[in-house]
Amino acid sequence: MSDFYQVLGINRTASPDELKRAYRKLAHQYHPDKAGAGNEAKFKEINEAYQTLSDPNKRANYDRFGSADGPAGFGGFGGRSGGPNAASGAGFGGFEDIFGSGIGDIFGEFFGAAMSQLQVELEVSLTQLLLGDEIEFKLNGEKLKFTLPPNTREGVSIRFAGKGQAYRGGRGDLIVTLRQKPIGKLSSEQRRLFEQLRQTGL
């Protein structure tokens, strides 16, 4: 379908008076009864454009949706609606036509894995963070272990694949975030030495 603004030869900000003048000029020019210059198809197109753009509500719908009827005027993904701004998708049958019927399963597994990810915090000592250690802990009755390298910073996360919560496609991952255990009573000198060790990585 033609752009109604182009049909009438006006821009989209045209006032009602400008719209009316353009319509009268073109209607007179292409009226079917006018000898030699009459054009019934063009005249009908001009009338349709004017009927739409002269009505404030229809014009607003046309400007926004490309149809005087608003969203209801769209033909959906299966067809083409009127207006220059209307979305078209002839023959478009949805995601399954493009990606196959397994698209739902793919998304289901993806979001299932994401939602079944389990996050926990594990306290380790400052000495373990600085010097490294073999760390063992239990979660839901299962013993897990990992090697903590020297000079590890608090807040580091360790991923255990397949150790999270169960979902239809399997089990999600376990994310363990390391937190430093509160330090007991230390002298100011001991605290200073610990801080030096942390900064130098010794």
Side-chain angles (χ1 to χ4, degrees), residues 33-84:
D33 293 339
K34 188 172 183 178
N39 187 322
E40 185 175 357
K42 182 69 173 178
F43 184 75
K44 288 182 178 180
E45 188 178 41
I46 292 168
N47 267 307
E48 183 182 5
Y50 180 72
Q51 291 299 322
T52 296
L53 300 183
S54 62
D55 183 302
N57 291 329
K58 290 182 179 180
R59 183 173 181 175
N61 283 336
Y62 183 80
D63 288 344
R64 183 175 181 183
F65 303 107
S67 169
D69 297 325
F74 283 113
F77 287 115
R80 182 181 180 88
S81 64

Side-chain angles (χ1 to χ4, degrees), residues 118-120 122 124 135 137 145-149 152-153 155-161 173-178:
L118 181 61
Q119 299 189 30
V120 298
L122 179 66
V124 293
I135 307 295
F137 65 100
K145 63 180 180 179
F146 63 95
T147 299
L148 182 65
T152 299
R153 296 288 182 179
V156 168
S157 294
I158 301 170
R159 180 183 295 270
F160 292 82
D173 294 343
L174 168 66
I175 308 297
V176 177
T177 301
L178 301 181

